[in-house]
Amino acid sequence: MNRRVVILGGGPNRIGQGIEFDYCCVHASFALKEEGYESIMINCNPETVSTDYDTSTRLYFEPLTFEDVMNIIKKEKPIGVILQFGGQTPLKLAIPLKNMGVKILGTDPIAIDIAEDREKFSRLLKELKITQPPNGTAFTYEEAKKIAENLGYPILVRPSYVLGGRAMEIVYDEETLKEFIEKAAEVSPEHPILIDKFLEDAIEVDVDAICDGDLCVIGGIMEHIEEAGVHSGDSAMVLPPYSLKKELIEEIKESTKKIAFSLNIIGLINIQYAVKNDMIYVLEVNPRASRTIPFVSKVIGVPLAKLATKIMIGKKLKELGFEKEVNLNYYAVKESVFPFNRFGNVDAVLGPEMRSTGEVIGIDESFEMAYAKSQLSAGQILPKSGNVFISVKDKDKPLIYPIAKGFTEIGFNIYATKGTGEFLREKGLKVNIIPKVYEGERPNIVDYIKNKQIQLIINTPSGKKPKKDIVSIRTIAVQRNIPLVTTIPGAKATLFAIKKLKESEIDVRPIKEYYKMKE
């Protein structure tokens, strides 16, 4: 009997691709070997473990195009193809391969198409009585303009079927919308543009789950530190959630299971939610492995990609011994690593388009120390004393006050630009006001940074295109390795982490010791 299975990898290495998908492909190959199958890997990325000579039974170093994949399938005659581990790249081949009579192992391509097709997906959520942000799809600027007027700015716009949030943007006005439509037409010409009402200041939540048709088990629920609008591959996230109410977490679990069963998921599913004013909205459903699978697997001590592979070839979660969610008595923070210091004039601000090139984990019994460890691992050495420079947009001024107050209480001096500084002074804080570069006075903020007089920078960007001097502050901070925080929730977490570092020493122990603390 032919016991061969083809695995489609993630394709060439680029920012946004996520090496996390390669982890999943490698685990799939190992799982197939454990079950007595030959694994046939198709991937064309020299930087990965999946293309190592001894990872799979056979490796085809070929592009992930329909023609190349079909040629290999005709030669190898596998019992099926696994395509939910390579990210968005292989997902595009689901329907074309199915139409050629190729057996797709795991979730049916029809379910994949429902999750990717905006209108079909909206219909499904309405049937399940699950809310999503108001949205629409458009092919032309005129259609997009009409939808934007109905939804009201800001809106989140993106081409469909793209990877790593490529060309995704938060749009605040008509002029930017026009620019975006022209760019999106080049990125994904044959697919519509997706338009969502952007939920400002919402908490984003990622959920990874595994299903076998009869049972759906939550792998992990991760609360993002940064607010919705920052790509999930870039956002720091904590498992389990550190600030969400218990009832909301239960509701998220229920919605995840409803969606998974209605799509008849066999294998992995990732769902991204936004929580605003105690309301839960579904942002996106990925009927495949997500880039958080390695993180979740490592933290809970369960190899989810391996289990998903075994499910795809007919096993059940019950016989694999994974029937219920793992409850943790510790926190794990995933932090992203960015290449900003390699690119001279790139603005080090996070948004919907993915920019990270790697990730690290900090684990501890307290959220604050787990966050501190994650920052240290990512190369952000948090100061225990010194000067904090703060410059935030108007909307963030009331939110930055308790954070600035917190820094003064633990012995830091506050420096700020005029607008932020005067606001904080009115609230009774002692603040040193520094001129901006374009105001012409010296020493300005850049001088202070260059003279090593600033130990931490909190700077939230305004919605529209930022002023040049604000960009230069962020760029110089990155070049000089000064910790830079560009969101209010990030600033809050940083304050908590520094407080904790001042109170206690960092404790390092093997991950297996944390596993003993699982319920």
Side-chain angles (χ1 to χ4, degrees):
M1 177 198 164
N2 173 11
R3 287 168 71 83
R4 287 179 198 156
V5 173
V6 163
I7 303 164
L8 299 188
N13 201 8
R14 57 199 183 276
I15 293 175
Q17 174 59 46
I19 213 74
E20 303 90 337
F21 297 130
D22 202 66
Y23 164 101
C24 295
C25 292
V26 170
H27 274 232
S29 195
F30 293 164
L32 289 169
K33 279 183 190 170
E34 283 171 17
E35 297 300 321
Y37 287 78
E38 287 184 41
S39 59
I40 316 295
M41 186 74 67
I42 306 177
N43 203 4
C44 55
N45 186 344
E47 291 293 313
T48 56
V49 183
S50 69
T51 53
D52 281 2
Y53 72 95
D54 57 351
T55 295
S56 45
T57 315
R58 266 187 301 294
L59 165 70
Y60 285 87
F61 200 90
E62 299 293 338
L64 286 147
T65 65
F66 174 68
E67 187 182 359
D68 287 289
V69 170
M70 274 312 298
N71 285 339
I72 296 163
I73 288 169
K74 279 174 190 166
K75 179 175 166 40
E76 290 288 350
K77 299 180 178 57
I79 58 160
V81 174
I82 293 176
L83 45 67
Q84 60 173 267
F85 290 143
Q88 204 67 29
T89 309
L91 228 53
K92 292 179 185 174
L93 300 175
I95 298 284
L97 289 175
K98 186 183 165 106
N99 291 344
M100 290 299 288
V102 175
K103 183 171 172 54
I104 305 296
L105 298 177
T107 304
D108 193 286
I110 291 162
I112 293 170
D113 190 55
I114 290 169
E116 291 287 338
D117 185 301
R118 180 50 60 97
E119 283 168 27
K120 291 176 188 170
F121 182 56
S122 291
R123 276 202 302 274
L124 173 75
L125 290 183
K126 271 185 192 130
E127 283 167 26
L128 297 174
K129 296 185 171 59
I130 294 171
T131 39
Q132 67 177 144
N135 61 73
T137 54
F139 281 92
T140 65
Y141 168 64
E142 288 308 317
E143 288 173 11
K145 191 177 151 192
K146 226 175 246 176
I147 293 164
E149 281 164 6
N150 289 338
L151 299 179
Y153 291 99
I155 53 172
L156 184 68
V157 284
R158 56 191 158 151
S160 46
Y161 283 93
V162 295
L163 180 79
R166 186 161 167 239
M168 195 190 286
E169 214 169 293
I170 298 161
V171 168
Y172 289 83
D173 54 39
E174 217 172 278
E175 187 192 336
T176 322
L177 179 65
K178 195 168 190 178
E179 283 171 26
F180 172 84
I181 302 291
E182 286 161 11
K183 192 165 69 178
E186 290 168 28
V187 176
S188 189
E190 67 280 9
H191 294 297
I193 287 139
L194 311 178
I195 302 171
D196 291 88
K197 173 69 184 158
F198 177 58
L199 302 170
E200 286 193 282
D201 305 320
I203 295 168
E204 195 164 336
V205 178
D206 252 80
V207 183
D208 282 319
I210 186 167
C211 311
D212 64 7
D214 302 324
L215 192 60
C216 178
V217 180
I218 305 288
I221 297 175
M222 292 149 276
E223 180 180 344
H224 291 215
I225 307 285
E226 284 79 16
E227 60 270 271
V230 171
H231 191 280
S232 60
D234 284 355
S235 181
M237 46 180 87
V238 57
L239 170 67
Y242 73 108
S243 77
L244 289 182
K245 293 176 184 167
K246 221 173 181 173
E247 313 84 81
L248 289 173
I249 292 171
E250 287 309 313
E251 198 182 321
I252 286 168
K253 287 179 189 176
E254 283 311 304
S255 296
T256 301
K257 288 176 183 178
K258 266 190 200 172
I259 293 168
F261 285 128
S262 64
L263 288 172
N264 194 21
I265 296 292
I266 306 294
L268 295 168
I269 183 171
N270 166 266
I271 304 180
Q272 289 164 23
Y273 296 91
V275 179
K276 185 170 181 173
N277 302 331
D278 288 348
M279 276 283 290
I280 293 168
Y281 300 87
V282 172
L283 298 179
E284 199 177 316
V285 171
N286 295 307
R288 56 167 170 85
S290 72
R291 52 172 45 85
T292 47
I293 285 294
F295 168 60
V296 175
S297 299
K298 184 74 79 177
V299 172
I300 67 172
V302 177
L304 294 172
K306 263 191 177 182
L307 298 188
T309 306
K310 294 182 181 187
I311 285 165
M312 287 182 227
I313 52 173
K315 296 249 170 170
K316 292 286 180 186
L317 283 165
K318 195 173 181 182
E319 61 183 297
L320 295 169
F322 188 56
E323 293 177 78
K324 63 181 183 23
E325 189 185 342
V326 176
N327 289 315
L328 306 176
N329 285 324
Y330 51 89
Y331 289 92
V333 175
K334 183 206 85 150
E335 181 56 285
S336 300
V337 177
F338 298 96
F340 296 133
N341 59 348
R342 307 287 167 91
F343 300 105
N345 297 312
V346 171
D347 188 6
V349 73
L350 304 181
E353 187 162 351
M354 186 175 158
R355 290 169 154 210
S356 67
T357 48
E359 57 191 37
V360 293
I361 304 175
I363 300 182
D364 200 85
E365 284 166 66
S366 76
F367 160 69
E368 296 86 349
M369 188 56 91
Y371 187 77
K373 285 179 178 179
S374 75
Q375 297 309 296
L376 190 60
S377 307
Q380 288 245 67
I381 298 165
L382 300 179
K384 291 184 190 175
S385 61
N387 304 326
V388 180
F389 170 73
I390 302 173
S391 175
V392 296
K393 59 188 175 201
D394 289 345
K395 192 171 72 67
D396 289 341
K397 282 171 187 165
L399 302 169
I400 199 67
Y401 165 67
I403 297 167
K405 188 169 181 281
F407 274 109
T408 60
E409 285 166 359
I410 56 171
F412 281 81
N413 303 311
I414 305 294
Y415 285 74
T417 46
K418 195 167 181 241
T420 305
E422 284 176 355
F423 176 84
L424 294 174
R425 275 181 179 175
E426 279 166 25
K427 293 277 189 182
L429 291 186
K430 190 182 170 203
V431 180
N432 303 293
I433 292 176
I434 310 178
K436 290 180 181 176
V437 179
Y438 72 86
E439 287 169 355
E441 291 174 52
R442 305 294 291 264
N444 58 38
I445 175 55
V446 171
D447 296 325
Y448 273 84
I449 295 171
K450 285 180 175 175
N451 294 334
K452 298 182 181 173
Q453 288 168 281
I454 301 293
Q455 280 65 51
L456 174 70
I457 295 174
I458 299 169
N459 172 230
T460 64
S462 57
K464 292 187 186 182
K465 285 179 182 167
K467 291 189 179 81
K468 272 186 184 167
D469 67 316
I470 294 294
V471 176
S472 70
I473 290 168
R474 292 196 283 259
T475 306
I476 293 163
V478 168
Q479 287 165 357
R480 303 203 167 225
N481 215 15
I482 297 166
L484 170 69
V485 184
T486 59
T487 64
I488 292 293
K492 204 192 239 174
T494 301
L495 170 64
F496 292 160
I498 290 172
K499 254 186 188 171
K500 194 75 178 172
L501 286 171
K502 282 171 80 77
E503 291 164 11
S504 51
E505 289 296 309
I506 288 181
D507 158 46
V508 179
R509 47 189 139 147
I511 197 165
K512 283 182 180 172
E513 281 193 29
Y514 287 103
Y515 290 161
K516 289 175 192 167
M517 293 157 64
K518 293 188 295 189
E519 281 177 26

